[in-house]
Amino acid sequence: MPVSGVAPYDEGNIFARILRGEIPARKVLEDDYALAFHDISPQAPVHVLVIPKGPYVSVADFSVKASAETVAGFWRAVAATAHKLGLEDGGFRVLTNCGHDAGQEVPHFHVHIFGGQPLGPMLARRH
Ligand code: AMP
């Protein structure tokens, strides 16, 4: 079920539990600012999530509350993850869902990295 992108942070969310080591994840990269791991239900040949280590609900929350160093460190980790996955030559897509209309399901800021094949239109066609 979609969640709010501006609600108070819920320490029990599934990505917080992954960060605490309570739930396993297939890690791709970890540094001081971020953890990258494979999505449990991939929607492309490569589908990896990158999350900051701090308690931010969404990109909106992260962009307001995180320090400049944390914001820079996070986005560098996103790029380093794409590099480690070998996606730069073929190309890749970075996407984040914020709140109800975007269908955000996990209330810990995360970006999706998709790649491994041509990814098609940016959004589903409206009919
Ligand atoms: P979003 O709809 O943007 O909030 O995306 C949440 C993503 O988290 C979905 O693509 C899920 O497949 C993924 N997901 C949920 N639980 C896990 C988990 N335990 N490990 C890895 N990915 C997960």
Side-chain angles (χ1 to χ4, degrees):
M1 197 160 88
V3 297
S4 166
V6 291
Y9 187 77
D10 169 13
E11 295 284 353
N13 80 75
I14 197 147
F15 293 170
R17 298 185 67 196
I18 286 174
L19 281 170
R20 290 196 295 268
E22 296 167 6
I23 292 176
R26 286 178 55 216
K27 289 184 189 179
V28 176
L29 177 147
E30 182 168 15
D31 66 15
D32 288 346
Y33 301 99
L35 173 66
F37 53 95
H38 290 276
D39 196 290
I40 203 166
S41 182
Q43 297 187 42
V46 179
H47 183 176
V48 166
L49 302 171
V50 189
I51 66 176
K53 292 201 159 172
Y56 308 103
V57 175
S58 66
V59 67
D61 191 40
F62 180 71
S63 303
V64 168
K65 293 183 183 160
S67 69
E69 179 190 336
T70 299
V71 172
F74 174 77
W75 287 107
R76 288 196 172 116
V78 173
T81 299
H83 178 76
K84 191 167 184 180
L85 291 164
L87 294 176
E88 286 160 332
D89 281 352
F92 60 94
R93 181 171 291 160
V94 175
L95 178 148
T96 188
N97 293 313
C98 180
H100 293 101
D101 283 355
Q104 182 180 357
E105 290 186 345
V106 179
H108 182 111
F109 172 43
H110 51 283
V111 303
H112 301 253
I113 298 178
F114 300 104
Q117 66 177 32
L119 295 167
M122 191 159 53
L123 292 177
R125 299 273 178 233
R126 300 175 72 190
H127 294 293

